[in-house]
Amino acid sequence: MPQKFSYAKRDVTNILPEGWQKDIGAVAAEADFRDFPRTPVLSREAADVTHIKRGRVHADAVQQRLPWLYKLYRSDFLELAAEAWGEPINAAYDDRYGVVLNVQRGKTMRFECHVDSNPVTGLLFFTDHPAGGGELVVGHDPSAVGVEALERDGTAIRPRAGQLIFFDGKTYPHYARALSDGAGESDVRVVAVMNFYTSSCPESTRPQGLNRHLFGAD
Ligand SMILES: [Fe+2]
């Protein structure tokens, strides 16, 4: 039996560089916004869902335009992950998926219901939102499929700017709710998504075909 879902949270506002809001806002505005096809192997969307509209700042753009975030992923955040997990943690060697941004703009975008390929996921929220929109919802049942199932039996985590959470997204399916009905078309939700690995579940266990789907090459 898997353990009950839990997550660790750390306020990292004091280690973010001055002007981080401006940097994040500028980069998020130029995210790749479109209908993304469901992810092979990892999707937990209901069978009839083929695409989900959302935004992504790809890892190369993060590395070039947010060098401080790329660096924190491989230093302070890595240490916090190891502390939270109680075991040694590695960052990704492959720069194509180590740290990316997920961006939702307006009230129709949401993030796909899925499980992760990596054993430890770090999410650093960069925006605050009123209750009732934009929450990360993590299902308690590892076999749950579809948004409704997660909403029926899950934990909703409200984004707080500057808060970094760690959780087992490989075991527990999760998705991000659309922003609330009160959101304007220019309202954005921005979160950094970081892949972390352990010695029992190293980067080499990443499913075959996933890189080809995401990047066009293994
Ligand atoms: Fe995830």
Side-chain angles (χ1 to χ4, degrees), residues 12-27:
V12 298
T13 315
N14 61 348
I15 53 175
L16 298 180
E18 207 173 316
W20 65 266
Q21 293 97 331
K22 201 163 154 257
D23 287 0
I24 291 293
V27 173

Side-chain angles (χ1 to χ4, degrees), residues 170-183:
K170 188 170 191 286
T171 300
Y172 298 100
H174 48 284
Y175 89 104
R177 284 178 183 159
L179 298 184
S180 67
D181 283 344

